[in-house]
Amino acid sequence: MVLALLVSGIVVLLVLVGLFVFGLRRRLIQRSGGTFDCSLRWNVPEDDPEPAGKGWVYGVARYNGDRIEWFRVFSYAYRPRRTLDRDSIEVLQRRTPQGEEELALLSDAIILACLHRGTRLELAMSEDALTGFLAWLEAAPPGQRVNVA
């Protein structure tokens, strides 16, 4: 009985420590400001007629100069999983979630199909985050190429 209580207590403690570390990591990522919730789907097939909702990963994006750093939410890594350079992002189209994507994404998400160095990707974010993202893209320094559809 004592052993079962001890093991249960250790399991509960480990779960609480894990949740605390997730929260601390997110707080450290957001500390510098300029962050927004952003789901990512990387290497999207070009001829994807009806998205099935697969491949979306929930994350947090952070503006860092001329780059967007994207972090997975459910990870302990402090380094960004993907880095997108402003001058390499080409916006192809904007759309709303379709079919099963509505279940995979946040309720108010808008999907932005992009091309980054030859790789098709999709970013899903709120309308407010999308406005900020497009303004950031268009605010590139003079002489940089920016393609916004």
Side-chain angles (χ1 to χ4, degrees), residues 29-149:
I29 290 169
Q30 292 178 327
R31 184 174 62 183
S32 64
T35 61
F36 57 97
D37 292 335
C38 178
S39 295
L40 172 76
R41 194 163 77 136
W42 189 260
N43 209 8
V44 179
E46 196 167 332
D47 55 348
D48 195 8
E50 180 157 335
K54 294 182 181 177
W56 286 104
V57 182
Y58 184 60
V60 175
R62 174 174 68 187
Y63 297 106
N64 186 3
D66 285 336
R67 295 181 303 173
I68 292 278
E69 297 173 335
W70 184 83
F71 301 83
R72 294 177 66 127
V73 166
F74 300 108
S75 171
Y76 290 110
Y78 186 68
R79 299 180 70 180
R81 177 83 171 154
R82 301 276 183 210
T83 302
L84 308 173
D85 295 316
R86 180 182 357 216
D87 59 349
S88 299
I89 299 173
E90 180 180 349
V91 176
L92 303 174
Q93 77 178 73
R94 175 192 319 200
R95 65 180 179 84
T96 57
Q98 302 168 359
E100 294 179 23
E101 281 183 326
E102 293 177 2
L103 301 173
L105 300 172
L106 296 174
S107 62
D108 63 342
I110 306 287
I111 298 172
L112 203 60
C114 301
L115 193 63
H116 183 261
R117 296 186 179 158
T119 303
R120 287 181 54 90
L121 62 109
E122 291 182 335
L123 301 169
M125 59 191 83
S126 69
E127 185 73 41
D128 292 340
L130 176 65
T131 302
F133 179 78
L134 294 175
W136 175 79
L137 276 180
E138 292 174 357
Q144 282 190 349
R145 172 188 63 86
V146 176
N147 296 314
V148 178

